[in-house]
Amino acid sequence: MDDLDRSIARRTAKNPRYPEMLQAEIRRQRLIAALITERKANHLTQAQVAAEMNVSQSVVAEIESSKADVRYSTLDRYAEAVTKHKKRLDLTPA
């Protein structure tokens, strides 16, 4: 067992839902990384995305940093802006 395993075990002992929460965070970060890749593939700057979303560039930078806990509606608007309105986030049953 390595340090990461011990850390997860400790946190799970305190909160049995921790592994589920950890997996949700990993999925969120992967989604944001994919959307950043999409933004760059579409040759869009953070400023252009911000203008499309009607927010400041710093809000887009915050979304992309994955540090902020962004609302679903904001992330959906970001997805629309970086895909030029060709994609929306869709929640489907697991």
Side-chain angles (χ1 to χ4, degrees), residues 34-47:
L35 289 170
I36 292 168
T37 299
E38 184 85 16
R39 174 181 66 78
K40 291 176 180 179
N42 286 325
H43 308 288
L44 297 169
T45 65
Q46 286 183 344

Side-chain angles (χ1 to χ4, degrees), residues 29-42 44 46 60-61 63-66 78 82:
Q29 289 192 13
R30 285 182 180 157
L31 172 62
I32 291 170
L35 289 170
I36 292 168
T37 299
E38 184 85 16
R39 174 181 66 78
K40 291 176 180 179
N42 286 325
L44 297 169
Q46 286 183 344
V60 173
I63 292 168
E64 292 187 0
S65 75
S66 295
Y78 175 82
V82 301

Side-chain angles (χ1 to χ4, degrees), residues 8-26:
I8 291 170
R10 245 187 342 268
R11 291 170 188 243
T12 302
K14 291 180 183 177
N15 181 350
R17 291 193 60 224
Y18 181 76
E20 177 186 330
M21 294 165 42
L22 179 60
Q23 288 305 311
E25 179 59 20
I26 290 169

